Amino acid sequence: MVFVEILMVFSLFIYDRWGDLVGQKQGFAVNELRLGWDGRFQGQDVLPGVYVWHAQLALKDGSAITKKMVLTVLK
């Protein structure tokens, strides 16, 4: 297993199960939790369910990677 240190999130997009964009953030440090997605869309908490996030990340070595994963929102 190779460990990579992520320094910054260039872009973060969150999509619902129908592919609609429900969250978007850009240009924040990974350790700034208050700057990440808060689970809201248009001022309302999203419904419980499965969402997909897609992020472009800056690594400590100067390179960039793209990651996509699934997240589940619970109430």
Side-chain angles (χ1 to χ4, degrees):
M1 178 195 245
V2 176
F3 176 76
V4 294
E5 188 172 354
I6 301 169
L7 291 180
M8 181 176 177
V9 178
F10 288 131
S11 61
L12 172 66
F13 299 96
I14 297 94
Y15 299 92
D16 65 16
R17 64 181 176 179
W18 299 281
D20 295 323
L21 184 65
V22 297
Q24 177 179 346
K25 296 283 183 165
Q26 295 180 338
F28 61 95
V30 294
N31 59 351
E32 292 291 335
L33 296 178
R34 64 183 176 79
L35 298 178
W37 184 53
D38 63 1
R40 298 172 65 80
F41 176 62
Q42 295 181 342
Q44 302 286 326
D45 289 344
V46 296
L47 295 174
V50 177
Y51 295 80
V52 174
W53 63 262
H54 175 270
Q56 292 185 343
L57 309 166
L59 304 180
K60 186 176 183 176
D61 68 4
S63 63
I65 60 171
T66 299
K67 288 289 185 181
K68 299 175 188 176
M69 296 199 66
V70 174
L71 90 104
T72 302
V73 173
L74 304 172
K75 288 266 181 176

